[in-house]
Amino acid sequence: MSNHAQRRNYSRREFFIRSGLAGAGALSLPALIAACGGGSDGGSGGGGGGGGAKTLYFENWPAYIDGATEADFEAATGIAMTYKEGYNDNNEYFAKVQTRLSSDKAIEADMLAPTFWMASRYINLGWAQKLDKAKIPNAKNLRSDLRDPGFDPGNLYSMPWQTGTAGVAYNIDATGRELTSVADLFDPAFKGKIGMLTEMRDTIGLILLSEGVDPSSISTFDEAAVAFEKLEKAKADGQIRQFTGNDYMDDLDTGNFAACVAWSGDVVQLSRDNPSVRYIIPEEGATSWYDTMIWMKGSKQSDSVAEWINYVYDPANAAKIAAEVGYISPVEGVRDELVKMGGDAAMMAESTILFPTEDEKKRLRTFASLSEEEEAKFDEAFAKITGA
Amino acid sequence: MQGGAGVPVITLENIRKQYGTFVAVDGANLSIGQGEFFAMLGPSGCGKTTTLKMIAGFEQPTEGRILLEGVDVSTVPPYKRNVNTVFQQYALFPHMTVFDNVAFGPRSKKLDSSTIKSRVMEMLEVVRLADFAQRRPAQLSGGQQQRVALARALVNYPSALLLDEPLAALDLKLREAMQLELKRIQREVGITFVFVTHDQGEALTMSDRIAVMNEGHIEMVGTPEDIYDRPSSVFVASFIGSANLLPGVVESVSGSSVTVRLSCGAVVDSSGSDFATGESVTVMIRPERITPGGEAIAGRSISGEITDLVFQGPSVRLIARLADGTEVGAVVGSHTNLTIPRPGDRVTMSWDAQGSFVLKGHPEMAGSTTSNLDHVEANL
Amino acid sequence: MNLVVDRRTRLAKFFDRADFVGLGTMLLLALGIVAVGAGWVNGDAARLVVIALGAVLVGIIAMAVMGNGEVRRKLAPYGLLKPGILWLALFFLAPVWSLFVMSLSAKESRFDFWPDFSWHWDNYRTALTEFRPQFVRSFSYAGIATLLTLIIGFPLAYVIAFRGGRYKTILLGLVVVPFFTSYLIRTLAWQNLLADSGPIVSIIDDLRLTGLFESLNIMENGKLMNTPAAVIGGLTYNFLPFMVLPIYVSMEKIDVRLLDAAHDLYSTGRRAFRKVVLPLTFPGIFAGTLLTFIPAAGDFINAALLGSPNTTMIGNSIQDQFIRQNNWPVAGAMSLVLMAIITVAVMIYTKFLGTEDLV
């Protein structure tokens, strides 16, 4: 039990409530913040300029890196790095930095790792800066399937950090049978024992797939309405026990959740301790997602950002990170490096969760990028269902 | 005053109350008659309050019986006993008006509301608080609260009213006024009052009879005059009023007269029987009985040197030291025709024929023979 | 000679107005703080206002220091009031004002951070219609939880106050000690206790009471976690001391002789309790219910950690609107509606159970 409780700290997405508590601080008055903050334009990167010491402030999701990379990078480049795990939730972080960024002020971090759709929002709002690709030769190692996303052709603004899939995880002790499909989540036998993610694109994406709609090709809310209706009904019927962030792991582990929508890397970690916990790419398909590094507006650390991206796009370095976090690296050649590392890392090279089979890959879909207007409808409808 | 004819209102039969190994009341026997104003007097810790609580029903006797109007109520709970208590700090219900406080008992008895109203108002008239019916206790003075407490108890027409140090919380002036007020009310309602006090003055002023208690025992029961003039023991003599207690030995007994040789050397005659020659006794002489500076009277005088003189308004108190060093107090009117001696004067002090009283045993307080309440309290 | 007198009176006249000066500066400072805090003035203007307020404050202090005893005596009450008033201005008036302004604003576009004030009453319509279930749920959950804390807390306080004897302090400590742990941790612990495989559900299963509990709507589908009962239970648990302590304090103050007096006046134990103990405990019950109900109605932790999507309370919705949906205007409207409902509820409650006549 203590093991599992501890693991909560090691998951990528801290559960929302904690950030909710921190967020209570955000209830303070915006005007006062603005009035008082006026004097300190420039943030942390400020003053660095071209001539100053090179620094890098990277705000990333919790437990999303290995222990050595930060120090290794500093040793290799001489850049003083600040690596913080303060990125808990896409929407919350956006809310937090929106005040400053919308007033043309820099935030503390030079670089963030938002999920692709949020990265798209930052880029569209002009809050991300163009990367100095000339200084990132390793960008060539980016997996071909991740190149040129719709929101950022040529990857001028963003480079993926880690990728993963959102599929169905289940605890066989609680289900009593193997699951194969998204439809299983709606089996009345599991009433009140199903978890769904608060990440709209993963939950709705999977349901769309189960309804035969390809989430990568939709563009309007109407096309996805069927999934919202299905989710709404399941919620009203009491099928869904809870919408969760990363805290689904405990529930899945103890069997409170018989099955849930889950992120691949989490289940890799959890199933090591609890073999009853399994993960599938459902027969209807699963969503694939990625978190992506962007350079924030107002930061002057162009070189540091470029050097960092270049460093983590070296397959050997990328493999070290992948071996620790259990997600799918966006860097070509990592699998070979894992094999070379031997031991546990080599075993991970064999995992179909990290490296889905060709057959499974065909079933993966990335949620389409939505217009601002449509996205608002999706978010609003989803919020209404999650009940908050 | 004693309702000798009828059944006593309250009877205690061999009451004993023990808390663990501590004996609070030991073998108390008492009988209180209809319409009596009865005081239980004693120093704190003497068991008087415990006795009162047993009568009220808040405590159960370990042994013995309590009879109320001839009926054994030893194990009957307080709410079924027809006695009421006026508590020391009055224990008025702070959330109720004066009217509601007084009406509390009748309402418990489920009397109909018009009866309650008339009885409560009648009783408030008796205690002269009718105009205050709608006030809260916190808005009243101490004396008024006291009267509310009285009314609250009396409105139930109990067989007996128990008062636990009823005047202790009042200041001196008010206390004196309330003493008279209590007497008046008692006469008016004609209910038996049993009140507990440690103030002997209060007890003497108000009571028809007094029970003096000490260390769980009832030392004496009697009228104020009996207790003052003819105390049954050295304790009673010392506790009630001021007394010069002079130790001595019986020299001879003849009829109802006793001759005692005091430890100061003087030989005095006094009345008393039931003494044996050679027995240790104490001769009690009240200070106001002593006439200083006159001629010596055989068997009724002692001599000593005046050491102190205290002017007390209506009277003057003299302190004289006898040959053996014991001190004797005398009180004379400040406007007497006698010449009042000055400190340093050697004087003869004499008293009238009924001025002394012989008690068995020696005064327990060594070094001081002039006793009064303060001394007793200080030594307890 | 004449001149001196004249000057003196003029000076005296000025200092006679010391209390007006005190009151005036206090109001000025409060107004200034609200102006800056609520964003009536921004940027350089705000900085200027802050400097001006500082100068006024220095001025009034100088007046107090240099003035005679009379002046100081007149200024003293305002000086003593000032910290409280300024605190209120900064942390109550300004936020509520800005919340009010926010609640009547509208965003031009979704990611426009600064909504414009436009008397956009529609936010209130949204708050009251779309979030009606959450409001209803919040108040019913908080009401039930308050009732439960009263049912559990009253006898507990009674036993500690009247039967605790020398164990009083220890018993009281036992009530309070669990609350030295953080709110969040305590609630998380309940997740484990109420889990499907947890001890409580197992015991209920072993005793074959699952059916009974389900028919009482305490359990749903064999589970305790993520049900309304779990949320209400969590609220009850978390707010219990806020009920027990005020009741205990009011009972502790009751003179036990009042009970003797009641018994003496022919009351049975039950009547003495009803007529004496209970009314004298009302101030404690009153304080306890308010201390429980108000925070419980706005609570979001219990619903978030122990509830399900069908048990969200208004606190969760406000949190979500503020923090995740970025919809500050609607969130502001919801917060103000919550405040208003609670205020009205408390006023009605006070009217019915007013404690001003109780000692």
Side-chain angles (χ1 to χ4, degrees):
Chain A
M1 210 51 220
S2 63
N3 236 346
H4 304 322
Q6 213 172 7
R7 193 181 310 107
R8 191 174 2 241
N9 300 325
Y10 288 91
S11 53
R12 172 173 158 276
R13 301 179 187 209
E14 271 286 51
F15 56 86
F16 295 116
I17 209 62
R18 220 187 73 173
S19 29
L21 280 182
L27 299 181
S28 52
L29 21 151
L32 201 63
I33 299 165
C36 300
S40 61
D41 276 31
S44 79
K54 282 203 237 174
T55 59
L56 178 64
Y57 187 133
F58 183 18
E59 187 106 67
N60 202 350
W61 299 83
Y64 212 19
I65 197 167
D66 64 308
T69 296
E70 184 188 344
D72 290 350
F73 171 72
E74 286 186 324
T77 60
I79 293 169
M81 183 164 188
T82 309
Y83 183 91
K84 286 213 171 148
E85 303 191 329
Y87 199 94
N88 284 305
D89 179 279
N90 282 311
N91 284 316
E92 275 177 37
Y93 203 88
F94 180 81
K96 199 162 95 180
V97 297
Q98 192 185 9
T99 336
R100 292 189 67 78
L101 290 172
S102 66
S103 326
D104 282 327
K105 286 165 193 155
I107 58 167
E108 262 193 297
D110 298 305
M111 201 163 69
L112 302 178
T115 305
F116 68 96
W117 56 271
M118 181 54 83
S120 156
R121 185 187 293 177
Y122 280 117
I123 294 167
N124 288 337
L125 288 167
W127 295 353
Q129 301 189 69
K130 224 178 219 178
L131 301 170
D132 189 352
K133 292 297 282 284
K135 290 186 176 152
I136 315 176
N138 284 340
K140 68 176 191 309
N141 295 332
L142 175 62
R143 262 164 43 198
S144 57
D145 57 316
L146 294 169
R147 284 182 194 165
D148 300 324
F151 62 87
D152 185 18
N155 289 93
L156 298 178
Y157 292 89
S158 66
M159 288 292 279
W161 167 251
Q162 297 292 311
T163 81
T165 61
V168 169
Y170 58 99
N171 185 327
I172 196 156
D173 295 340
T175 58
R177 66 175 173 94
E178 300 284 358
L179 303 190
T180 56
S181 65
V182 178
D184 286 333
L185 295 176
F186 298 90
D187 182 342
F190 306 141
K191 188 180 171 194
K193 298 210 137 215
I194 297 297
M196 296 274 179
L197 290 174
T198 47
E199 189 72 33
M200 187 270 288
R201 283 167 177 78
D202 292 329
T203 296
I204 292 296
L206 276 189
I207 300 174
L208 280 173
L209 284 165
S210 77
E211 294 293 309
V213 180
D214 180 353
S216 66
S217 64
I218 55 169
S219 56
T220 65
F221 178 75
D222 293 345
E223 291 171 79
V226 59
F228 284 96
E229 281 159 22
K230 187 166 183 181
L231 187 63
E232 168 72 59
K233 186 172 182 304
K235 180 204 120 174
D237 290 348
Q239 180 76 7
I240 297 166
R241 183 177 194 124
Q242 189 56 294
F243 287 92
T244 61
N246 221 87
D247 43 340
Y248 69 87
M249 298 230 293
D250 276 346
D251 285 326
L252 188 58
D253 188 25
T254 59
N256 284 345
F257 284 166
C260 62
V261 180
W263 289 307
S264 54
D266 289 346
V267 186
V268 171
Q269 295 173 29
L270 182 55
S271 59
R272 274 182 215 146
D273 293 338
N274 185 351
S276 299
V277 172
R278 301 182 184 179
Y279 180 82
I280 53 157
I281 303 286
E283 55 198 21
E284 301 99 322
T287 59
S288 79
W289 50 264
Y290 54 99
D291 294 331
T292 186
M293 294 177 278
I294 55 169
W295 177 31
M296 300 313 293
K297 183 174 82 170
S299 160
K300 302 192 172 95
Q301 298 295 341
S302 173
D303 286 356
S304 300
V305 168
E307 283 189 59
W308 167 260
I309 295 174
N310 198 46
Y311 184 84
V312 296
Y313 265 77
D314 179 323
N317 296 334
K320 284 183 206 157
I321 298 170
E324 175 83 18
V325 300
Y327 281 96
I328 309 170
S329 178
V331 181
E332 213 60 89
V334 163
R335 195 172 191 171
D336 297 339
E337 291 293 332
L338 284 173
V339 173
K340 264 192 243 167
M341 284 163 75
D344 280 351
M347 277 171 65
M348 289 180 83
E350 300 303 315
S351 165
T352 57
I353 301 182
L354 265 80
F355 301 101
T357 62
E358 284 310 309
D359 187 40
E360 284 172 335
K361 273 187 191 166
K362 279 187 201 144
R363 285 187 270 142
L364 294 178
R365 295 290 184 277
T366 300
F367 208 92
S369 61
L370 302 167
S371 69
E372 197 181 306
E373 234 169 283
E374 291 300 320
E375 189 185 44
K377 289 186 200 164
F378 275 79
D379 285 349
E380 204 174 297
F382 192 69
K384 214 171 267 179
I385 296 171
T386 56
Chain B
M1 273 294 199
Q2 250 174 290
V7 183
V9 174
I10 296 167
T11 310
L12 304 188
E13 288 180 1
N14 292 315
I15 290 296
R16 180 181 169 87
K17 179 68 188 179
Q18 203 166 339
Y19 298 100
T21 56
F22 173 73
V23 181
V25 178
D26 195 6
N29 283 292
L30 208 58
S31 171
I32 302 169
Q34 173 59 45
E36 260 197 290
F37 203 123
F38 190 91
M40 287 200 276
L41 175 68
S44 45
C46 72
K48 58 189 191 295
T49 299
T50 307
T51 307
L52 194 79
K53 281 184 176 172
M54 286 190 284
I55 298 171
F58 301 129
E59 301 279 359
Q60 242 102 71
T62 317
E63 281 170 35
R65 296 203 307 159
I66 295 172
L67 308 178
L68 272 184
E69 292 176 323
V71 181
D72 184 357
V73 294
S74 307
T75 57
V76 172
Y79 60 88
K80 290 186 181 163
R81 291 190 193 196
N82 196 25
V83 292
N84 288 109
T85 306
V86 172
F87 293 85
Q88 194 167 0
Q89 304 289 338
Y90 319 136
L92 297 178
F93 304 120
H95 56 298
M96 296 181 193
T97 60
V98 167
F99 184 93
D100 290 337
N101 264 281
V102 177
F104 193 91
R107 280 177 182 156
S108 297
K109 286 176 162 174
K110 302 212 162 62
L111 301 183
D112 69 87
S113 60
S114 61
T115 315
I116 291 173
K117 182 150 201 261
S118 63
R119 273 173 70 168
V120 169
M121 290 318 291
E122 183 192 331
M123 199 47 72
L124 285 176
E125 292 288 350
V126 171
V127 299
R128 302 177 193 172
L129 279 176
D131 293 342
F132 295 82
Q134 294 312 316
R135 300 264 186 104
R136 303 251 168 181
Q139 297 167 304
L140 302 179
S141 70
Q144 289 167 332
Q145 291 184 25
Q146 161 80 76
R147 282 182 280 154
V148 175
L150 265 174
R152 185 176 69 171
L154 288 172
V155 77
N156 305 296
Y157 302 130
S159 311
L161 181 73
L162 311 177
L163 304 102
D164 185 8
E165 301 272 7
L167 306 175
L170 303 177
D171 60 50
L172 183 65
K173 266 249 153 65
L174 203 51
R175 192 154 54 208
E176 284 173 352
M178 275 310 292
Q179 288 174 0
L180 299 175
E181 183 77 359
L182 272 178
K183 280 295 275 184
R184 178 187 69 79
I185 292 169
Q186 199 253 348
R187 272 198 306 274
E188 207 161 308
V189 295
I191 289 172
T192 306
F193 276 32
V194 179
F195 87 110
V196 151
T197 181
H198 67 267
D199 183 336
Q200 38 104 6
E202 205 169 283
L204 291 174
T205 312
M206 298 164 72
S207 327
D208 300 322
R209 281 200 304 150
I210 299 171
V212 181
M213 290 187 73
N214 185 33
E215 292 177 347
H217 296 274
I218 297 178
E219 293 264 341
M220 181 179 184
V221 181
T223 63
E225 295 78 15
D226 285 342
I227 286 187
Y228 191 77
D229 292 334
R230 292 173 292 281
S232 65
S233 67
V234 173
F235 173 81
V236 175
S238 65
F239 191 73
I240 307 294
S242 288
N244 294 304
L245 298 172
L246 306 173
V249 176
V250 175
E251 276 209 336
S252 64
V253 185
S254 71
S256 63
S257 157
V258 191
T259 305
V260 179
R261 176 173 293 277
L262 298 177
S263 56
C264 64
V267 178
V268 299
D269 295 329
S270 185
S271 61
S273 52
D274 198 19
F275 292 102
T277 307
E279 191 180 350
S280 291
V281 293
T282 300
V283 175
M284 178 197 84
I285 309 160
R286 295 285 178 192
E288 69 275 13
R289 294 285 183 117
I290 294 178
T291 311
E295 288 295 307
I297 306 166
R300 283 196 272 129
S301 51
I302 48 178
S303 65
E305 181 190 332
I306 301 293
T307 58
D308 212 347
L309 192 98
V310 185
F311 180 71
Q312 292 176 320
S315 59
V316 175
R317 186 180 187 84
L318 300 159
I319 309 291
R321 184 180 288 119
L322 305 185
D324 64 339
T326 53
E327 290 188 331
V328 169
V331 174
V332 294
S334 39
H335 302 291
T336 174
N337 296 328
L338 295 170
T339 338
I340 294 175
R342 314 303 307 169
D345 293 355
R346 285 204 64 84
V347 291
T348 297
M349 293 171 284
S350 49
W351 52 88
D352 57 292
Q354 279 81 46
S356 66
F357 191 75
V358 185
L359 296 161
K360 285 183 184 289
H362 271 169
E364 55 283 73
M365 288 159 296
S368 168
T369 51
T370 335
S371 67
N372 57 33
L373 182 67
D374 298 334
H375 290 105
V376 175
E377 289 264 284
N379 280 286
L380 273 165
Chain C
M1 188 67 193
N2 224 349
L3 226 159
V4 174
V5 170
D6 200 357
R7 194 183 296 154
R8 235 183 238 159
T9 47
R10 217 184 302 152
L11 213 67
K13 264 184 190 159
F14 174 71
F15 281 126
D16 268 351
R17 293 192 203 115
D19 37 7
F20 291 108
V21 176
L23 180 66
T25 48
M26 190 174 75
L27 294 177
L28 191 69
L29 284 168
L31 190 71
I33 283 175
V34 173
V36 176
W40 297 343
V41 287
N42 279 311
D44 286 338
R47 251 161 263 156
L48 263 174
V49 170
V50 171
I51 292 166
L53 293 181
V56 169
L57 199 61
V58 170
I60 195 77
I61 292 170
M63 183 172 169
V65 170
M66 287 166 21
N68 55 24
E70 176 69 8
V71 170
R72 260 180 248 165
R73 196 181 55 74
K74 281 188 173 159
L75 285 181
Y78 301 102
L80 293 172
L81 267 177
K82 232 163 255 170
I85 294 281
L86 300 190
W87 181 269
L88 269 181
L90 188 58
F91 293 109
F92 180 72
L93 293 179
V96 167
W97 178 259
S98 69
L99 202 61
F100 177 68
V101 170
M102 180 60 81
S103 74
L104 289 173
S105 303
K107 289 177 160 193
E108 236 167 70
S109 68
R110 186 152 183 246
F111 304 122
D112 170 22
F113 183 74
W114 300 108
D116 298 315
F117 180 75
S118 54
W119 295 106
H120 195 73
W121 290 101
D122 204 43
N123 295 328
Y124 283 90
R125 196 193 51 77
T126 310
L128 283 168
T129 54
E130 277 187 37
F131 294 97
R132 175 174 305 179
Q134 278 84 357
F135 273 116
V136 170
R137 211 177 275 144
S138 291
F139 288 112
S140 41
Y141 285 6
I144 297 170
T146 305
L147 204 64
L148 287 174
T149 53
L150 185 61
I151 292 170
I152 299 168
F154 191 93
L156 188 59
Y158 185 89
V159 168
I160 297 173
F162 290 112
R163 304 266 186 275
R166 62 202 161 103
Y167 300 109
K168 226 179 233 185
T169 322
I170 295 172
L171 289 171
L172 212 54
L174 287 177
V175 172
V176 178
V177 160
F179 294 85
F180 291 178
T181 322
S182 104
Y183 187 8
L184 200 57
I185 302 294
R186 273 181 283 132
T187 314
L188 282 169
W190 276 100
Q191 282 192 337
N192 290 326
L193 289 173
L194 299 177
D196 295 6
S197 53
I200 296 174
V201 173
S202 323
I203 290 169
I204 293 172
D205 277 349
D206 291 347
L207 297 173
R208 309 205 182 284
L209 291 173
T210 313
L212 175 72
F213 277 68
E214 280 182 6
S215 64
L216 292 172
N217 279 329
I218 291 170
M219 287 177 94
E220 278 174 8
N221 228 6
K223 64 187 165 72
L224 263 180
M225 248 313 269
N226 310 105
T227 62
V231 178
I232 293 168
L235 289 170
T236 305
Y237 166 73
N238 277 312
F239 291 105
L240 188 60
F242 297 102
M243 184 63 87
V244 173
L245 295 180
I247 295 181
Y248 169 79
V249 169
S250 61
M251 283 181 174
E252 171 83 315
K253 281 195 298 192
I254 298 176
D255 184 347
V256 285
R257 276 175 307 191
L258 294 181
L259 291 178
D260 280 349
H263 292 309
D264 187 66
L265 296 164
Y266 314 104
S267 275
T268 55
R270 187 180 300 183
R271 186 169 190 272
F273 173 81
R274 208 156 42 81
K275 294 287 177 190
V276 178
V277 176
L278 199 58
L280 288 174
T281 315
F282 269 148
I285 295 174
F286 183 74
T289 45
L290 290 186
L291 285 176
T292 305
F293 183 78
I294 296 173
D299 186 78
F300 68 97
I301 301 269
N302 286 284
L305 293 184
L306 304 174
S308 77
N310 293 325
T311 66
T312 46
M313 294 170 69
I314 196 65
N316 305 80
S317 304
I318 293 174
Q319 187 215 3
D320 189 66
Q321 289 298 319
F322 260 118
I323 290 168
R324 289 173 54 81
Q325 309 305 328
N326 247 321
N327 198 346
W328 287 36
V330 166
M334 289 159 75
S335 304
L336 286 177
V337 169
L338 179 66
M339 269 175 68
I341 296 177
I342 288 177
T343 309
V344 170
V346 168
M347 278 164 61
I348 294 170
Y349 183 62
T350 314
K351 189 97 187 151
F352 278 100
L353 205 95
T355 51
E356 62 275 358
D357 328 324
L358 294 172
V359 181

